[in-house]
Every structure is written in C-alpha cells, then in structure tokens.
Amino acid sequence: MATLVSFHAHPDDECIVAGGVMRKAFEEGHRVVLVVATRGEVGEVPDGFLDDGEELWQRRVQETHASAEVLGAKRVEFLGYTDSGMMGEPRNDVPGTFWQADVEEAAQRLAAILREEQADVLTVYDDNGGYGHPDHIQVHRVGKRAAELAGTPRVYEATSNSDEMRRGMEEAVRTGQMKAEDLPDFEDGSEFGKPEAILTARVDVTEYLSHKRAAMRAHASQISEDSFFLAMPDEAFAQAFGVEWFIRAGQGPGITETDLMAGL
C-alpha cells in the first residue's frame, strides 16, 4: 500500500517513540522500514552480560533486528556512524560519531534508502531531538534534509507532549503517587518534548502496547526487566506510552491528524 521509514539515533529508540505507529502501519498492510544512525556503542551493560569476545554493538544490532520483527519492520539499515554519547561529553568531538557527521553526506545515505523504498512517510525527531541528545538532534537535521533530497512527501517529527507530561506529574503529586519535591522545574528553560499548541498529530497506539513492550524487552542489554519501561504497571504504561505525538510542517494549528498513513 504505502511505505513508512522510521529513522532513529540508536537501537531501542524506535520502540519508545514510534513503536506504536510502526506496528500500526504494518497491521494495516503498509511496508515498514527501520533506519538507525548508529549501533549504540556507548550503552552500558552489567558485567558478564555479553558473551566472551562479543562487542556491545554486535548485541545491540541483534536486538534491533528482534525489535524490528516485533514492530513489523521488513528492512533494517544502519547508516554506519558511531554513538556520540550525551551532550557535552568528550565523545561528541570524536570523528566518525553521528554528531560529527556532515549533514549533507549523512542525508545522502538516508535519501538513497528513501528512494529505493519510494518512501511515502518518514519519521524523525523534533529539532531538540526530544530531550537534547546530540544524535537525536542530528536525526532531525539529517532526516529533514534527506526527505528534501528524495522528495519524500510526508515528514513527521516524533516528540512528547510537554504539557500533558506536566499535567500527569502534577496529578501524581496530587494523588500521592509522586513527591512534590521530585516534580521537575518546568520553568527552568530545560526542554523535554514540545508544547501541546505546536503538535499536529496525536496517534492512539493503545492497541499496540503489547508490541511496544515486547520490542523494549528485545533490547535487554539496555532495558532490563526492572527498568522504568518494563517495571511499571500496565495502566501506568498505557498512560505513558499509549499515545505517540508528532509535528508535521504545514499542518495545524492544533491536532489535525490521528494517523500518519491516512489516505495512502
């Protein structure tokens, strides 16, 4: 029917911010392709987790393919860059990291895949990469440029609804589930997600939550059973991950879309 390409920075990102729309597209008969900029070389694992002689990136590539199978992606590609680490770390300056990549060159690599697939829809991240990670910011820059080069008609920026996040935390404080002193300072200038007013797509993915969680579980090197993602009760998980939010240029104001593949 149509082709969705979902572009991400590291293994495991795909299941957290776009796993629902990927599985939804697959269930509706569309082709789903997963592209990852790096192999997640900087992740941490407990001693003894990896096999003798096994590198972390090798395990994370395996995990990505397992996650992709759960989410319905029929093709997985890595662009060949290495993990840049968190913003401000010395690794940001290492040649070969995604943060150091030439945007035009990286965009050409992604555009080649978009052309091969005749992609109808591309997902990237918002201009802050969701929370300021350098590789996530680079996904935004590279993805937007690649779509221009390949002529991909629909580009959605995956993000979070910062206003809903604030309301949820304030409600958790009100009901005693969270301590008031643990509430983030929403006025300190830090940015996680985007304000509700600039979001243009709200996709209900509650039907695919079991797939999102199974995909997270596939990334066992980074998402353990006692992690935030897998340890929370089903109800809390549904509240946190049952909706995926996007921004599409030229849409809005307000939420005007509920399905990235509508009409295709």
Side-chain angles (χ1 to χ4, degrees):
M1 294 177 69
T3 299
L4 165 68
V5 176
S6 197
F7 181 38
H8 297 276
H10 316 101
D12 78 21
D13 289 332
E14 79 286 345
C15 53
I16 297 170
V17 300
V21 295
M22 291 173 68
R23 183 68 195 193
K24 182 177 186 293
F26 165 74
E27 293 276 4
E28 293 172 353
H30 301 293
R31 178 169 170 82
V32 179
V33 176
L34 172 61
V35 181
V36 190
T38 79
R39 293 180 170 88
E41 294 84 354
V42 178
E44 298 180 358
V45 293
D47 290 340
F49 185 91
L50 299 175
D51 296 332
D52 289 344
E54 183 183 24
E55 299 287 342
L56 175 59
W57 69 265
Q58 295 172 309
R59 179 65 65 92
R60 297 195 74 178
V61 166
Q62 294 175 9
E63 292 174 343
T64 302
H65 282 278
S67 171
E69 185 172 353
V70 171
L71 297 176
K74 297 305 182 184
R75 179 182 178 183
V76 178
E77 294 288 347
F78 292 87
L79 288 191
Y81 299 98
T82 57
D83 195 329
S84 307
M86 297 298 287
M87 187 67 83
E89 294 181 355
R91 188 175 174 85
N92 296 170
D93 300 322
V94 174
T97 58
F98 192 41
W99 186 236
Q100 288 298 313
D102 178 79
V103 170
E104 193 71 14
E105 178 190 40
Q108 290 284 3
R109 295 188 191 185
L110 178 57
I113 298 171
L114 296 176
R115 292 190 191 101
E116 287 174 17
E117 293 291 343
Q118 296 182 304
D120 301 281
V121 179
L122 172 67
T123 72
V124 296
Y125 304 141
D126 66 41
D127 59 3
N128 190 48
Y131 64 101
H133 192 294
D135 288 337
H136 287 235
I137 294 172
Q138 195 76 317
V139 162
H140 172 85
R141 296 171 178 171
V142 170
K144 298 275 278 191
R145 178 57 180 150
E148 293 175 355
L149 292 170
T152 304
R154 294 189 190 181
V155 181
Y156 290 92
E157 301 173 20
T159 189
S160 301
N161 183 334
S162 59
D163 291 322
E164 182 177 78
M165 198 177 306
R166 179 202 302 235
R167 291 192 295 267
M169 289 183 179
E170 290 174 345
E171 177 64 13
V173 169
R174 190 188 68 78
T175 58
Q177 301 175 62
M178 183 178 181
K179 296 179 180 179
E181 55 266 31
D182 293 334
L183 195 67
D185 182 1
F186 290 100
E187 309 302 330
D188 68 355
S190 63
E191 189 174 12
F192 193 101
K194 293 293 182 178
E196 199 165 66
I198 68 172
L199 305 180
T200 67
R202 177 190 187 277
V203 185
D204 185 340
V205 297
T206 52
E207 185 177 347
Y208 311 104
L209 285 176
S210 63
H211 295 93
K212 286 190 71 165
R213 219 163 198 180
M216 292 177 184
R217 191 166 275 115
H219 289 283
S221 72
Q222 304 301 303
I223 304 177
S224 66
E225 288 296 327
D226 59 357
S227 69
F228 164 79
F229 298 105
L230 298 180
M232 67 170 64
D234 289 344
E235 184 177 348
F237 187 83
Q239 183 174 0
F241 298 103
V243 171
E244 292 175 355
W245 303 91
F246 300 87
I247 301 168
R248 180 183 173 195
Q251 300 299 300
I255 305 297
T256 59
E257 296 180 284
T258 57
D259 181 0
L260 307 192
M261 312 300 288
L264 297 175

